[in-house]
Amino acid sequence: MTEFTAWMIFLLPLFSFIAIGLVVRPFFNRYAGLAGYITIASIGMSFLIALWALGEVRGVDGAMEWPAREWLVVGPLVISFGIMFDSLTAVMVVVVTGVSLLVQIYSQGYMKGDRGYARYYCFMSLFTASMLGLVMARSIVQMYFFWELVGLSSYLLIGFWYQRPAAARAAMKAFLVTRLGDLGFLIAILYLFFHQDALGAHGLNSLDIPDIHSAAAAGLIGATALTWIAIGIFAGAAGKSAQFPLHVWLPDAMEGPTPVSALIHAATMVAAGVFLVARFFPVFMVSSEAMTTVALIGGLTAVFAASMALVMYDIKRVVAYSTISQLGYMMLALGLGGYAVAIFHLFTHAFFKALLFLGAGSVNHATGTFDMRYMGGLRRYQPWTYRAFLIGSLSLAGIFPLSGFWSKDEILATAWMGGGLIDKALFVVAAVTVLMTAFYVFRVVFMTFHGEFRGGADEERRQAESGLDEKRVAENTAQTGVNLHESPASMVMPMLVLAVLSIVIGFVANSPIDFLSLPKHWMSKFLEASLVPSGLHPVSPDIDVAIAIMGLVLAVSGIGIAWFLYGRQTLGSNKIGIPVLHRLLTKKYYFDALYEDALTGNVFYKKLCKVLDWFDRNIVDEFVEKTGWFHRNVGRSIVLLQTGQLQAYGMVMVIGVGAIVFVYYLWG
């Protein structure tokens, strides 16, 4: 594979963005359907190249090398750009392009008739290209550029229906919260920038990712500095991957179109955070403090988000909290040293999570609402959607032999292998999360597809108009009515493809036994090849039958509890038995109130802004006004000297010369 071919994986979606933005929208907007075909064709070709590249990289010991090119020279530091195409990149580009392709096909049916159809595909092309540029970047500065471009793309897509106040707020919230994490990432880059002298003495570039790996392994950066660099990188990852306490933006991001949610949650923005930690895994491995921080935050996020998913009624928000929880799972695995395990779970998660979001969009297409309280009985009207959604739910729950089972089992085994108290505590957290995950996802299945239909958007509007429902119902009520039938083929076919992948891809990708021409755990070994140049040789856990059985029992137990509470009745129990706990979970532990009211409202606006306002009026304004007064009056005084009389000017010159002579003789 040539370098140009590798660049085409990124350039094809970028071409789609440029073509739609500069040609289709300005000149052929009446033929907006062209935008969809251009996007699907470009991403489809990118996907085919990515698959071929994966095979090529497998044949060269997990990496392809091309020289970096100079971008900017700052003193002795050269900021370069280029492609880093190792096994991690190869897996990620397949996930990004594959999931994105299916989402774009699905969008043709979901977005049909939308006035912003061409604009939607324009932004989706940019989103895909940005993520591909991020995972292929060789320089950390180059990576940061695409990192911010991913954030910008998500802002545009979350707020796609900007006419809706809720969508505009959600886009702004996502943009601002992720910026907090990005600040940490930027600080880490600055730390590396100021270590150029130490690395340059050994012929290394402090901003080149392979050189950063080598410097960390060789101990060329101090332990304290390395820890802060790792923590800064993790802060950026925590923002994008919605880790505690920067998780608050992701549930609100559901205000965007459902295919956008599927892409964000499966293969782009939130996956970027996990990828970032994995990319700099050699740096994290040197710092035990950083590894422990990642593991603890990941474990806390996993159980924290899962608990909130237990009580949500918006189907997209339940799946969104599930994403946060599963990303916590991946971070937990990374923090415990399970590099390949975390990426394997990211790989399987991409397919069944995209499936669940597309299934939620199909349900909305029929009912006009995302509120499960107004659904029910949809398996009779949407049999294919039901079957696909059920497969995705079983995979998320970790039921044998679906894809989620294999990756979940390896994370549990990784946690169990650790001998420390923290490792065992995190194992318990992971096990509890398995039970909670199975419960909340099958709560969705039973409330949405079983029982009797409860009116959909029509009943939701009636409840809102009568004042019997929550205030937010009016905001969340969809603009479309009830149309109980199966979704069009353009929406169903991508779901069926994802359903098949959700069944087989876990076993095929990382089978515990030799399978056809693939050796056992081939993906883990393939991914770990990218760490060999850094001197790291991690060992992935083999299947542990006892832990696998335990995980399966927990998952089945969660499904059983969900059936007992929701499967046997029309609606089921609406509340957790403890009212205080139920209120705590529905209010999302009051984090939104803490951020929006306490911090933003009271601390920022009422306190900090008042201080800044006083400083502006009494210090800045006064200084400017006094400076202006001084110069104005000095100017007026100087003007008085400008009489226009040569005699006066001559007198002043004589006096000046006399003064100079006098001073000279006085101190001479």
Side-chain angles (χ1 to χ4, degrees), residues 435-666:
L435 177 67
M436 297 167 71
T437 301
F439 171 80
Y440 66 64
V441 73
F442 272 87
R443 172 178 175 264
V444 172
V445 171
F446 295 134
M447 288 187 70
T448 303
F449 295 98
H450 290 246
E452 300 297 326
F453 182 62
R454 296 184 290 276
D458 294 341
E459 179 63 18
E460 187 179 14
R461 287 195 189 92
R462 192 187 69 79
Q463 293 283 346
E465 291 169 359
S466 63
L468 299 178
D469 209 350
E470 301 175 13
K471 293 180 179 179
R472 284 199 64 182
V473 171
E475 279 189 15
N476 294 336
T477 300
Q479 300 301 312
T480 57
V482 177
N483 193 7
L484 290 179
H485 61 76
E486 186 59 89
S487 297
S490 61
M491 296 174 65
V492 172
M493 291 307 298
M495 288 194 291
L496 295 181
V497 172
L498 288 168
V500 172
L501 292 172
S502 297
I503 295 172
V504 304
I505 198 68
F507 180 81
V508 172
N510 217 28
S511 170
I513 59 173
D514 294 336
F515 179 70
L516 299 178
S517 62
L518 298 172
K520 68 175 185 179
H521 294 298
W522 77 264
M523 180 173 277
S524 293
K525 296 173 182 176
F526 175 61
L527 287 166
E528 289 164 1
S530 64
L531 299 178
V532 173
S534 304
L536 299 177
H537 300 275
V539 179
S540 298
D542 206 346
I543 187 168
D544 190 311
V545 177
I547 290 177
I549 293 173
M550 183 207 70
L552 192 59
V553 169
L554 288 171
V556 172
S557 300
I559 296 172
I561 297 170
W563 176 83
F564 181 80
L565 294 176
Y566 295 91
R568 303 184 305 161
Q569 305 175 38
T570 303
L571 182 59
S573 173
N574 284 325
K575 294 186 177 181
I576 293 177
I578 307 172
V580 175
L581 178 59
H582 184 270
R583 182 173 179 80
L584 183 65
L585 295 177
T586 54
K587 294 296 183 179
K588 297 172 283 188
Y589 294 95
Y590 294 94
F591 265 87
D592 282 342
L594 174 65
Y595 286 152
E596 296 174 13
D597 297 334
L599 294 179
T600 305
N602 291 324
V603 176
F604 184 74
Y605 284 117
K606 293 183 179 179
K607 301 294 192 299
L608 180 60
C609 287
K610 281 187 176 181
V611 173
L612 294 175
D613 179 65
W614 179 90
F615 182 83
D616 181 61
R617 288 186 288 105
N618 294 277
I619 305 299
V620 177
D621 288 353
E622 285 292 319
F623 175 77
V624 172
E625 289 177 4
K626 293 296 189 289
T627 302
W629 176 88
F630 173 78
H631 286 91
R632 184 172 60 252
N633 285 279
V634 170
R636 287 174 178 174
S637 301
I638 294 174
V639 167
L640 296 176
L641 299 176
Q642 305 302 312
T643 63
Q645 296 180 354
L646 291 176
Q647 299 93 325
Y649 299 155
M651 179 66 69
V652 172
M653 292 175 63
V654 170
I655 294 172
V657 172
I660 293 172
V661 172
F662 176 77
V663 171
Y664 175 79
Y665 280 103
L666 185 64

Side-chain angles (χ1 to χ4, degrees), residues 159-222:
F160 179 78
W161 289 315
Y162 55 85
Q163 304 89 343
R164 302 180 186 177
R169 288 196 303 269
M172 184 62 69
K173 187 176 184 178
F175 190 79
L176 293 177
V177 173
T178 54
R179 293 292 78 69
L180 292 175
D182 294 351
L183 179 61
F185 190 14
L186 180 59
I187 292 172
I189 295 174
L190 293 175
Y191 255 95
L192 289 166
F193 176 83
F194 289 114
H195 279 81
Q196 175 55 33
D197 290 342
L199 273 65
H202 295 80
L204 301 175
N205 189 321
S206 66
L207 300 181
D208 195 59
I209 295 174
D211 288 355
I212 296 171
H213 292 175
S214 301
L220 301 180
I221 303 175

Side-chain angles (χ1 to χ4, degrees), residues 29-46:
N29 203 39
R30 67 172 64 183
Y31 306 107
L34 285 172
Y37 297 129
I38 293 172
T39 302
I40 292 170
S42 61
I43 296 178
M45 288 188 288
S46 181

Side-chain angles (χ1 to χ4, degrees), residues 400-454:
F400 178 86
L402 279 77
S403 297
F405 167 81
W406 303 104
S407 55
K408 178 208 68 179
D409 174 70
E410 290 199 10
I411 291 177
L412 289 172
T414 300
W416 182 253
M417 284 173 57
L421 181 62
I422 293 177
D423 302 78
K424 295 297 185 273
L426 289 173
F427 173 79
V428 173
V429 168
V432 171
T433 304
V434 171
L435 177 67
M436 297 167 71
T437 301
F439 171 80
Y440 66 64
V441 73
F442 272 87
R443 172 178 175 264
V444 172
V445 171
F446 295 134
M447 288 187 70
T448 303
F449 295 98
H450 290 246
E452 300 297 326
F453 182 62
R454 296 184 290 276

Side-chain angles (χ1 to χ4, degrees), residues 40 96-111 120-121 124 258-264 266-267 350 354-355 357-358 490 494 498:
I40 292 170
V96 173
T97 55
V99 173
S100 181
L101 175 62
L102 293 171
V103 168
Q104 310 315 323
I105 296 172
Y106 176 95
S107 298
Q108 287 202 304
Y110 189 88
M111 297 299 293
Y120 169 85
Y121 274 106
M124 288 291 264
T258 298
V260 172
S261 302
L263 194 56
I264 287 176
L355 172 58
F357 269 109
L358 298 188
S490 61
L498 288 168

Side-chain angles (χ1 to χ4, degrees), residues 290-305:
M291 292 289 285
T292 302
T293 301
V294 173
L296 290 175
I297 294 294
L300 174 62
T301 303
V303 71
F304 179 78

